[in-house]
Amino acid sequence: MENKSIARTLRLFSQLMELHEENPFKVKSLATAAFKVDKLPFSIAKKSPEEIEKIDGLGKSTAAKVIELLQTGAIQEMADLIKETPAGVVEIMGIKGVGPKKVLVIWKDLGIESIGELYYACNENRLIEAKGFGLKTQEEIRKAIEFKVASNGRYLYAQVEEVAELLIKEATGLAGGIQVSFVGDFRRRCEIIDGLDFLIGCQDASGIISDLKEIPYLNVLAESPEKLETEHETGIKALFNFCSPDTFSYNLAFLTGAEGHNKELQNRLEIGDKSFETEEQLYAQAGLPFIEPELREGLFEFDLAAAGRMPELVEWKDLKGSLHNHSTWSDGVHTLEEMALFCRDELKLEYLGISDHSKSAFYAKGLTEERVIAQHEEIDKLNLEIENFRIFKGIESDILFDGSLDYSDEILARFDFVVASIHSVFKMSEEKATSRLVKAIENPFTTILGHPTGRMLLTRNGYPIDYKKVIDACAANGVIIEINSNPLRLDLDWRWHQYALEKGVELSINPDAHSKKGFYDTRYGILAARKGGVTAADCLNALNSTEITAYFKQKKGI
């Protein structure tokens, strides 16, 4: 075993001891020993137990731990501490700038047990008021997590968007009016991106390749007459493909589609024919209506085309209001009035559905029954003062472990709508998670099922559920399913949108905004909905203010 491995083990041991608030003297001794071992000019593994005990800076007790590690491959006392610590908490300790004292607050005070939960908490501003934290520390932790995730070579769509737009602008400028487009996963608006792909149509690619190689923030990985593989300074891979102008539309289609889509499309085209003026012409030649890039996954788009049901996909302009949002009443950063005015004046929406956290979400300043009543009084006042706009009284009510909501029927009846969501106890079997959700769906006050699987893309898998049973329950009880627009969530997964629509379940594209800026996340929910083949008619918040008022009243039996 190398000195560095021994030092890392001792360092983690000291951190675990500090996390579990053990003897500070022992913690310091282990941390010092870790530093000393890392700097030794000789291999400690080659020394005898007697020699190890004499090494300066170890001490008899720590030397015994090192000997135990070398002889058995583990330190039993450390193994016992690891058993008492959630695996995600141990992983959090590996984030740069997050020491044991901060981890203890994150774990015990905030109830966070994974990097995914911590990243989401940063995005919801939950760390700002925690002991030993602040806005600067929260931002540093968020960036450290992003770096850790990015080092795996995979990115959220939202994380690569800025680089993508920069590179397409560069390529378009260099091409001088020649055809340039995104292709691949990014053009299909996939939620997770492994790299950026571009297509440039030109007679001679050599000049453009030379210019691209001169861009200072691009590192060239490989080059051929048809392709230039590069890496952006952020680590994002960017592949530039080149083709002749007359085959641009053909290559645009086949470099965009997923394998299943391309195989079916190729079967419908005449062999060898690659000259098409537009993609629309290519699809027409294949006997198909134009299929939007988002749908080209080879899953259900050809069935829709064959049935003559190719959808007119939802757009931002179709949405008339925003539901599932948080204000300073819980863990948001802007007041109710600020959120409402932003929706009316900047986003040109007709209504805002406020749904602050319920009382079980103590970490997010969840609303007690008394505060619910006080908030409703403020909403009534604002609805009288703000012209041409409506604030609806909602709540994001926690689904408890037994599937019940965390307010009495008397309180739930006060709301215009209720978003029911799980925020705690994620470790469940599929049977338990499904039954928990179904019971909440069957609650007559539940209007919308919020982020149904609780997933955090790239950082935390959702709890396992039987999607069909959950969606069928929503169909049977008239419950809307949320498409949570936070780019970390995008939950309900787009792959289940068609099943929901077939069962007659409506969807709601919700930003889960915790600030005015958060409303712009709606765009990512729209992109996910488009991948699922969702139209405006399928969306609850495409209803105008009058229509959704009537819907809420009907749901409540008024």
Side-chain angles (χ1 to χ4, degrees):
M1 183 178 287
E2 294 182 357
N3 287 0
K4 284 192 177 296
S5 297
I6 298 169
R8 279 197 298 269
T9 302
L10 293 176
R11 192 175 298 113
L12 177 59
F13 191 9
S14 72
Q15 291 172 331
L16 286 165
M17 290 188 73
E18 186 174 356
L19 179 67
H20 288 276
E21 300 180 288
E22 304 229 352
N23 188 312
F25 177 77
K26 289 184 178 180
V27 171
K28 187 176 180 181
S29 295
L30 278 170
T32 301
F35 179 81
K36 293 280 188 180
V37 170
D38 193 31
K39 303 300 181 182
L40 288 175
F42 54 82
S43 174
I44 195 172
K46 294 180 180 179
K47 300 295 182 180
S48 67
E50 292 76 19
E51 290 174 314
I52 292 173
E53 289 179 354
K54 294 177 182 178
I55 294 174
D56 181 49
L58 289 192
K60 191 171 182 179
S61 175
T62 303
K65 305 297 182 189
V66 173
I67 294 167
E68 181 186 0
L69 177 63
L70 290 171
Q71 291 178 345
T72 68
I75 301 172
Q76 186 57 50
E77 188 179 347
M78 177 179 169
D80 293 339
L81 289 175
I82 288 176
K83 285 181 182 178
E84 297 174 20
T85 315
V89 173
V90 176
E91 193 177 5
I92 288 172
M93 286 201 295
I95 298 173
K96 183 180 178 182
V98 185
K101 286 186 172 62
K102 284 187 170 63
V103 175
L104 186 61
V105 174
I106 289 168
W107 178 23
K108 296 296 186 180
D109 294 355
L110 301 179
I112 293 169
E113 294 189 357
S114 74
I115 285 181
E117 292 172 14
L118 178 58
Y119 187 58
Y120 189 67
C122 289
N123 280 273
E124 289 192 326
N125 295 308
R126 291 185 185 174
L127 268 65
I128 291 178
E129 296 181 8
K131 182 180 178 182
F133 292 83
L135 183 60
K136 183 180 178 182
T137 302
Q138 177 179 271
E139 184 64 12
E140 288 173 349
I141 291 172
R142 186 182 67 80
K143 288 181 178 178
I145 294 174
E146 287 180 351
F147 179 81
K148 184 179 179 67
V149 172
S151 66
N152 296 324
R154 311 199 76 197
Y155 302 84
L156 301 178
Y157 178 91
Q159 289 175 319
V160 304
E161 199 171 20
E162 184 178 349
V163 172
E165 294 300 335
L166 173 66
L167 291 178
I168 197 78
K169 185 178 179 181
E170 288 273 16
T172 302
L174 295 174
I178 297 174
Q179 296 162 301
V180 180
S181 176
F182 294 115
V183 288
D185 293 352
F186 188 80
R187 189 173 183 229
R188 294 203 313 279
R189 312 295 194 184
C190 295
E191 64 271 40
I192 296 172
I193 305 292
D194 294 322
L196 296 170
D197 297 278
F198 303 85
L199 177 64
I200 299 175
C202 56
Q203 293 293 357
D204 181 9
S206 59
I208 298 174
I209 289 176
S210 295
D211 290 339
L212 287 170
K213 288 164 65 176
E214 292 299 316
I215 296 176
Y217 49 77
L218 285 183
N219 178 38
V220 176
L221 303 178
E223 177 185 350
S224 73
E226 296 82 27
K227 293 181 181 180
L228 180 67
E229 295 180 49
T230 69
E231 182 177 85
H232 187 265
E233 62 186 4
T234 58
I236 300 170
K237 300 288 195 303
L239 173 63
F240 296 90
N241 299 275
F242 302 92
C243 68
S244 61
D246 62 314
T247 63
F248 182 81
S249 294
Y250 178 90
N251 282 284
L252 180 60
F254 281 95
L255 288 175
T256 294
E259 183 179 355
H261 179 90
N262 288 347
K263 184 176 180 180
E264 178 65 25
L265 182 59
Q266 188 66 69
N267 289 339
R268 294 167 179 255
L269 287 172
E270 295 179 13
I271 297 175
D273 187 6
K274 294 187 177 182
S275 298
F276 298 95
E277 291 185 10
T278 63
E279 281 187 304
E280 286 82 356
Q281 187 184 84
L282 182 150
Y283 278 92
Q285 182 68 39
L288 295 164
F290 178 70
I291 297 177
E292 294 286 354
E294 294 96 319
L295 297 177
R296 301 179 197 176
E297 295 289 345
L299 297 178
F300 55 78
E301 66 270 29
F302 291 105
D303 292 336
L304 292 177
R309 296 191 295 110
M310 190 56 63
E312 185 175 335
L313 301 179
V314 63
E315 299 179 37
W316 183 289
K317 64 180 178 59
D318 296 321
L319 303 184
K320 308 303 179 187
S322 182
L323 304 170
H324 189 173
N325 304 289
H326 301 266
S327 71
T328 50
W329 279 91
S330 63
D331 58 346
V333 299
H334 290 109
T335 66
L336 259 174
E337 183 176 16
E338 288 171 333
M339 299 281 273
L341 292 175
F342 184 82
C343 284
R344 186 193 68 176
D345 300 337
E346 298 297 324
L347 303 181
K348 309 303 179 186
L349 297 176
E350 297 180 15
Y351 55 87
L352 164 70
I354 199 69
S355 49
D356 279 305
H357 285 286
S358 59
K359 63 180 182 179
S360 294
F362 60 89
Y363 52 83
K365 298 191 299 181
L367 274 63
T368 62
E369 287 82 354
E370 293 78 13
R371 294 183 68 224
V372 166
I373 294 170
Q375 186 190 59
H376 288 186
E377 290 175 353
E378 181 182 351
I379 291 172
D380 289 337
K381 179 174 177 290
L382 289 172
N383 276 333
L384 291 174
E385 295 174 352
I386 301 175
E387 297 180 353
N388 302 316
F389 194 78
R390 175 75 182 272
I391 303 173
F392 289 103
K393 301 168 182 173
I395 194 74
E396 185 176 20
S397 185
D398 269 26
I399 301 173
L400 304 179
F401 191 65
D402 66 355
S404 60
L405 303 186
D406 62 343
Y407 287 121
S408 66
D409 288 356
E410 180 185 358
I411 295 297
L412 291 171
R414 290 175 173 269
F415 298 103
D416 294 316
F417 70 100
V418 173
V419 179
S421 306
I422 290 177
H423 288 109
S424 61
V425 193
F426 302 115
K427 296 177 182 177
M428 298 173 283
S429 66
E430 180 178 306
E431 182 181 5
K432 173 58 186 175
T434 300
S435 64
R436 184 178 178 184
L437 287 175
V438 168
K439 182 174 178 180
I441 290 164
E442 291 174 343
N443 188 307
F445 292 101
T446 298
T447 315
I448 300 171
L449 178 62
H451 43 74
T453 73
R455 73 180 187 181
M456 303 286 185
L457 293 169
L458 293 179
T459 54
R460 184 183 78 193
N461 292 328
Y463 31 85
I465 66 170
D466 185 323
Y467 282 89
K468 290 186 176 181
K469 283 186 179 180
V470 170
I471 292 170
D472 290 349
C474 288
N477 292 275
V479 169
I480 308 294
I481 298 181
E482 171 178 84
I483 302 174
N484 190 291
S485 300
N486 187 304
L488 278 165
R489 289 192 183 275
L490 301 180
D491 185 18
L492 180 71
D493 189 295
W494 62 267
R495 295 161 186 82
W496 287 97
H497 294 178
Q498 280 297 305
Y499 183 81
L501 298 179
E502 288 168 7
K503 292 294 181 177
V505 176
E506 284 190 75
L507 304 167
S508 182
I509 302 173
N510 297 335
D512 199 353
H514 287 70
S515 66
K516 292 187 290 186
K517 181 182 177 182
F519 285 111
Y520 290 118
D521 281 349
T522 301
R523 178 172 176 276
Y524 302 112
I526 292 170
L527 295 181
R530 289 173 63 88
K531 283 195 71 61
V534 176
T535 71
D538 303 320
C539 294
L540 175 67
N541 51 315
L543 297 177
N544 63 34
S545 183
T546 301
E547 292 167 336
I548 202 166
T549 298
Y551 176 86
F552 287 151
K553 287 183 177 180
Q554 181 185 22
K555 173 69 177 175
K556 293 179 67 175
I558 298 177

